[in-house]
Amino acid sequence: MLDALQRPVHDLRISVTDRCNFRCVYCMPKHIFGPNYSFLKRSQLLSYEEIERVARIFVNHGVRKLRLTGGEPLVRKDIELLIEKLSAIDGVQDLSLTTNGSLLTLDKAEKLRASGLRRITISLDSLDGDTFKSMNGVDFAPEPILQAIDTAAAVGLAPVKVNMVVKRGVNDNAVQSAAEYFRGTGHIIRFIEYMDVGNSNRWQREQVISAAEIRDIIGRKFPIEPASPDYHGEVAQRWRYRDGSGEIGIIASVSQPFCSTCTRARLSADGLLYTCLFANTGHDLRAPLRAGTTDEELATTIRQIWSARTDRYSELRASQTIEIPKIEMSYIGG
Ligand code: SAM
Ligand code: SF4
Ligand code: SF4
């Protein structure tokens, strides 16, 4: 199944909730996502059965990677029941989850692994307590997240990927120490350029630390060299330490957009299908799902949506002159 720019669909990112126990400054700033913010209601969320149905159709059309995200996916009750269903779908080669790690106890990690989860990505923006606390907006210390990363690896969700969003003047001074901490541990830290997802973070180009700068900061202390991508369309550029002590990833979505190889579809927690992280409208799959539509009819709808896809927001970012309303990251899923 190819889109209008000849890109196949290969990954489906599934947001299971728009809620989160963190208030990261670049994602759910407190002044907007406060006590009066209106999140989706339980009845608006797709059930695990509904998500499984959509996922099966996508897998029949070429999707091989499923990623659960949010909001914070571990705040959704018994997420392992969904993982069990998804891991039983024939053709899924990769099933992973992205989490802030705050709720990842040993018991939870074991349940996730036992239900068929293969990999996990845990976000951590700084090893420095004050910086991390100010970035997550809820005063959460880094130590439990570091523990969660080790726990995940210990139950077999290895290698653990660690996501760090780098924002100029906020945590750029934490890049080198994070690289140093994870060097030689087997965990792979990935530095992400701060993106203009949604509107509430009031993104400005000057706040982005580019991939080139990140390479520079790390390379000054630890010589690195490029490694070849694991697969076509991989978002992270891989770099390995010359002394053999592991690798890092850099996600250059702003400075080197990768729309031409973008094979990702996104399903929001309330069942809207988005064909780009920066989309401002989605296609409702929940209504047909709940109206007794057959799988064949749903598949036809999905084929029509994907084949009309022309999204390449990041490539066009520099030439955008008007501010368009965009979907928030916590809603659409990272
Ligand atoms: N709550 C989970 C977490 O934080 O890992 C999963 C959802 S979160 C939206 C997924 C990823 O998106 C996280 O690694 C987060 O750091 C990243 N992210 C959120 N807002 C971002 C932004 N404006 N620019 C770049 N990455 C962002
Ligand atoms: Fe929550 Fe993840 Fe967004 Fe932070 S990045 S506010 S942890 S959804
Ligand atoms: Fe894909 Fe849209 Fe990101 Fe481009 S901007 S890489 S099309 S999600």
Side-chain angles (χ1 to χ4, degrees), residues 57-78:
I57 295 172
F58 269 97
V59 172
N60 284 340
H61 287 79
V63 161
R64 293 293 168 263
K65 295 179 63 169
L66 299 177
R67 171 179 294 273
L68 299 180
T69 177
E72 173 46 48
L74 298 189
V75 304
R76 179 115 182 225
K77 197 162 171 275
D78 300 330

Side-chain angles (χ1 to χ4, degrees), residues 11-186:
D11 317 52
L12 179 64
R13 299 203 172 177
I14 303 168
S15 172
V16 294
T17 177
D18 59 339
R19 290 170 198 259
C20 184
N21 56 338
F22 278 16
R23 288 292 176 272
C24 300
V25 285
Y26 50 76
C27 179
M28 298 179 81
K30 265 196 278 206
H31 64 278
I32 293 179
F33 293 86
N36 297 325
Y37 187 83
S38 111
F39 290 99
L40 294 171
K41 295 187 195 59
R42 182 76 192 79
S43 60
Q44 293 176 289
L45 301 183
L46 290 191
S47 67
Y48 291 164
E49 289 70 24
E50 289 167 335
I51 294 176
E52 179 195 6
R53 233 183 116 192
V54 175
R56 273 187 193 279
I57 295 172
F58 269 97
V59 172
N60 284 340
H61 287 79
V63 161
R64 293 293 168 263
K65 295 179 63 169
L66 299 177
R67 171 179 294 273
L68 299 180
T69 177
E72 173 46 48
L74 298 189
V75 304
R76 179 115 182 225
K77 197 162 171 275
D78 300 330
I79 188 76
E80 50 280 4
L81 300 181
L82 173 62
I83 294 171
E84 225 165 69
K85 291 183 190 302
L86 298 178
S87 67
I89 300 177
D90 252 357
V92 175
Q93 288 167 1
D94 190 17
L95 177 54
S96 65
L97 176 143
T98 304
T99 171
N100 62 29
S102 61
L103 303 169
L104 193 66
T105 56
L106 175 60
D107 179 53
K108 190 69 174 178
E110 280 172 341
K111 280 190 180 144
L112 295 175
R113 184 71 186 105
S115 61
L117 191 71
R118 309 210 189 148
R119 294 190 305 112
I120 198 161
T121 298
I122 299 181
S123 304
L124 176 65
D125 294 323
S126 178
L127 295 169
D128 171 70
D130 290 341
T131 311
F132 185 53
K133 287 177 182 179
S134 72
M135 285 185 86
N136 63 48
V138 293
D139 235 20
F140 205 93
E143 290 76 14
I145 312 294
L146 294 170
Q147 178 60 56
I149 292 168
D150 288 339
T151 301
V155 304
L157 295 167
V160 178
K161 291 188 177 160
V162 179
N163 275 0
M164 173 168 170
V165 176
V166 190
K167 194 172 169 193
R168 188 180 301 281
V170 179
N171 66 338
D172 44 340
N173 58 2
V175 167
Q176 210 177 63
S177 53
E180 182 161 14
Y181 179 89
F182 290 109
R183 235 167 76 89
T185 60

Side-chain angles (χ1 to χ4, degrees), residues 275-315:
T275 55
C276 179
L277 182 55
F278 298 91
N280 53 3
T281 48
H283 308 264
D284 185 13
L285 298 184
R286 190 185 61 195
L289 271 170
R290 292 186 181 174
T293 306
T294 64
D295 280 359
E296 202 30 66
E297 287 162 344
L298 267 176
T300 305
T301 304
I302 289 171
R303 277 196 298 271
Q304 281 164 352
I305 295 167
W306 191 262
S307 61
R309 176 183 188 244
T310 56
D311 304 278
R312 51 191 201 99
Y313 175 90
S314 289
E315 288 181 349

Side-chain angles (χ1 to χ4, degrees), residues 210-239:
S210 70
E213 286 174 89
I214 293 168
R215 276 198 312 268
D216 224 46
I217 295 171
I218 297 168
R220 255 181 257 143
K221 187 149 183 199
F222 307 110
I224 48 174
E225 60 192 14
S228 43
D230 273 337
Y231 55 89
H232 179 74
E234 187 173 30
V235 295
Q237 303 168 358
R238 296 176 60 215
W239 291 80

